[in-house]
Amino acid sequence: MSLKFNANEDYNKQLLSELKKQLKAVYFGGGLKKIENEHAKGKMTAHERIDYLLDKDSKSIEIGALAGFEMYKEHGGCPSAGVIVKIGYISEKLCVVVANDATVKAGAWFPITGKKNLRAQEIAIENKLPIIYLVDSAGVYLPLQDEIFPDKEHFGRIFRNNAVMSSMGITQISAVMGSCVAGGAYLPIMSDEAIMVDKTASIFLAGSYLVKAAIGEDIDNETLGGATTHNSISGVADYKATDDRDALDKIKKIISKIGDYDKAGFSRIKPILPLFVQKEIYGILPKSRTDQYDMLEIIKRIVDNSEIEEYKADYGKTLICGYARIDGWAVGIVANQRLVIKNANKQMQFGGVIYSDSADKAARFIANCNQKKIPLVFLQDVTGFMVGSAAEHGGIIKDGAKMVNAVANSVVPKFTIIIGNSYGAGNYAMCGKSYDPRLIVAWPSAELAVMSGASAAKVLLQIEKANLEKTSKKLTEMEEKDLFIRIKSRYDHQISPYYGAARLWTDAIIDPLETRKWISIGIEAANHAPISKAFNMGVLQV
């Protein structure tokens, strides 16, 4: 291997080591002391509950593990948004599991908690997957109630989605394993079936202290809304469990009896591992986000048998389009090519930039995949669309719009992997979060922003200088350099994949070697939802 390969490998493994370190930290939730307190109450933690519920040694993926990362510091933080979400197998059936983490502010809902819960429900709705709620929450985090309570995508949307999923026939099961208060009390009761754990679970619109204050009634929480009350008197709950494990065992038994699902019918054959060594991705992917590399070499280490059948291989070369298989599933791949190449007219085309011919090729390929019912996989390392007079006169806006239209109106499931740059309109054209990918994940090498940190800092510096000059102040060379560094540092923080993952712009930051697993589970989930409408790109300027 070359020195450059070794340098790339060392750098990317350092990024991966940092990812593992951050994930290990958030897995402790509110800390060891809080975990010990839960165990002392006879309760399992959110992670322990999910691990017990999912089939042993089966594959699973975690959504939003880094949600809330470095946010709400003035409130003590909110690791993993105070709720754990996984897609995995229960009694051999693929399900979404949502578990409140009571070690984080007693499972209270921060604004990012609401967003993460809604993302879990969105996945269940899009893929028609059963969803399991393991409820243990003190309700809305009151100091931030204005950011979580009243708006369309806030707390109340959860219960609206409960109702919508019920009408769609999507199974919803709730196990109340701790507190379930105020408006949150509706979630388990709007599920199909509700289980309560004796002595630790409670459901009520107002607790004993509030009842005393509101109507003067003296009553304890267990009598007011414990498992015995709601199973024997109110009929609110359907099952009473002796402890957490008993409640989880009841869920397994219920899920095991669900009938088979209608399938979308995506093509799958026996999986074959890539022919090329997957770990070589670390050495191929460059340390610098401006360096060239051959995206085909990355693709060959992701797809089955390292085979891809390229579409229009000699046309629109800054985008690779082609048919392949990932873990046996047929996929259509749209990937940015990072090599500087010459087009048919011997003109230089820069890697990572989408040109008119590339956009046109991609739009046609996406249409083909929709016609053939083949899921789409987007591999992003894009700086944006080509600019300048030649591009404008050649109709880059028209061709770019054609590609964006095809992505937006695609009816087959889409999956997005942000490998490197994800800048500007390139993010949109390559199926960014706004374009409804079923799953969107980033590698540790990813950057999400309008433009690169250096480019943005130069633009912002010019604006700052112009504003200062209006006040007759002229920066010295050293002052200008210091200002540039400060601006770039602030911007670089915002383009980090952790910044995006914290805000759920992506579902996860993953080890590149987990890409095949994420896509495979994603397509299997999507296969639960038959396609109900035809692909139509609407009105286009051809």
Side-chain angles (χ1 to χ4, degrees), residues 132-143:
I132 315 302
Y133 308 99
L134 306 181
V135 184
D136 194 347
S137 172
V140 167
Y141 183 64
L142 290 177

Side-chain angles (χ1 to χ4, degrees), residues 19 22-23 62-71 78 80-81 112 115-116 119 418 433 440-444 446 448 493-510:
L19 172 63
Q22 299 296 352
L23 287 173
E62 183 171 353
I63 303 296
L66 290 163
F69 181 76
E70 294 188 340
M71 295 171 66
C78 187
S80 280
I112 194 64
K115 188 173 184 179
K116 187 169 174 179
R119 176 61 179 141
I418 305 175
K433 186 69 178 287
I440 176 169
V441 298
W443 288 2
L448 289 79
H493 173 68
Q494 294 179 356
I495 69 177
S496 158
Y498 291 93
Y499 192 89
R503 289 152 181 80
L504 287 171
W505 299 347
T506 60
D507 291 316
I509 304 174
I510 66 167

Side-chain angles (χ1 to χ4, degrees), residues 108 124 149 208 248 278 313 335 360 366 444 463 469 485 487 489 496 503:
F149 172 65
S208 56
L248 298 170
Q278 294 178 68
D360 176 68
I366 291 166
I463 294 171
E469 286 170 2
I485 291 171
I487 293 171
S489 176
S496 158
R503 289 152 181 80

Side-chain angles (χ1 to χ4, degrees), residues 173-188:
I173 300 171
S174 287
V176 182
M177 313 176 89
S179 297
C180 183
V181 302
Y186 287 101
L187 185 146

Side-chain angles (χ1 to χ4, degrees), residues 34 64 91 105 168 173 273 281 292 383 403 415 419 434 489 493 504:
K34 295 287 181 66
S91 300
K105 293 288 192 296
M168 293 174 66
I173 300 171
L273 288 173
I281 288 173
Q292 295 184 61
T383 54
M403 180 179 176
F415 302 90
I419 288 175
S434 304
S489 176
H493 173 68
L504 287 171

Side-chain angles (χ1 to χ4, degrees), residues 306-500:
S306 300
E307 291 180 344
I308 178 170
E309 185 178 350
E310 275 200 78
Y311 172 80
K312 291 184 181 287
D314 297 322
Y315 180 74
K317 290 187 175 182
T318 64
L319 276 178
I320 297 168
C321 298
Y323 302 106
R325 288 188 182 273
I326 294 177
D327 200 35
W329 294 103
V331 296
I333 293 175
V334 181
N336 302 109
Q337 176 58 284
R338 285 307 305 260
L339 294 174
V340 175
I341 55 179
K342 289 183 178 180
N343 65 13
N345 298 320
K346 308 299 181 183
Q347 295 172 324
M348 200 69 74
Q349 292 192 337
F350 297 97
V353 180
I354 302 174
Y355 289 77
S356 285
D357 53 357
S358 299
D360 176 68
K361 176 172 82 169
R364 290 170 179 265
F365 179 71
I366 291 166
N368 285 344
C369 287
N370 275 270
Q371 184 187 59
K372 296 176 175 66
K373 203 158 70 172
I374 299 174
L376 286 159
V377 174
F378 292 83
L379 303 179
Q380 283 196 16
D381 193 348
V382 58
T383 54
F385 285 92
M386 189 58 190
V387 297
S389 60
E392 298 293 359
H393 297 170
I396 184 64
I397 295 176
K398 180 178 66 176
D399 289 318
K402 190 188 303 181
M403 180 179 176
V404 169
N405 192 310
V407 174
N409 286 300
S410 182
V411 297
V412 295
K414 298 167 289 193
F415 302 90
T416 302
I417 316 296
I418 305 175
I419 288 175
N421 302 330
S422 181
Y423 297 156
N427 169 280
Y428 304 151
M430 292 294 294
C431 198
K433 186 69 178 287
S434 304
Y435 289 79
D436 300 320
R438 297 293 176 95
L439 294 171
I440 176 169
V441 298
W443 288 2
S445 48
E447 294 184 354
L448 289 79
V450 173
M451 60 182 75
S452 71
S455 297
K458 289 175 184 176
V459 173
L460 293 169
L461 178 63
Q462 293 305 312
I463 294 171
E464 187 67 22
K465 283 175 63 180
N467 289 335
L468 289 171
E469 286 170 2
K470 289 177 183 178
T471 64
S472 301
K473 178 175 173 57
K474 188 173 178 63
L475 294 176
T476 66
E477 185 176 336
M478 184 59 71
E479 287 174 333
E480 185 174 320
K481 184 177 180 180
D482 288 343
L483 181 57
F484 175 83
I485 291 171
R486 288 202 306 272
I487 293 171
K488 186 176 184 300
S489 176
R490 184 174 69 246
Y491 198 88
D492 283 344
H493 173 68
Q494 294 179 356
I495 69 177
S496 158
Y498 291 93
Y499 192 89

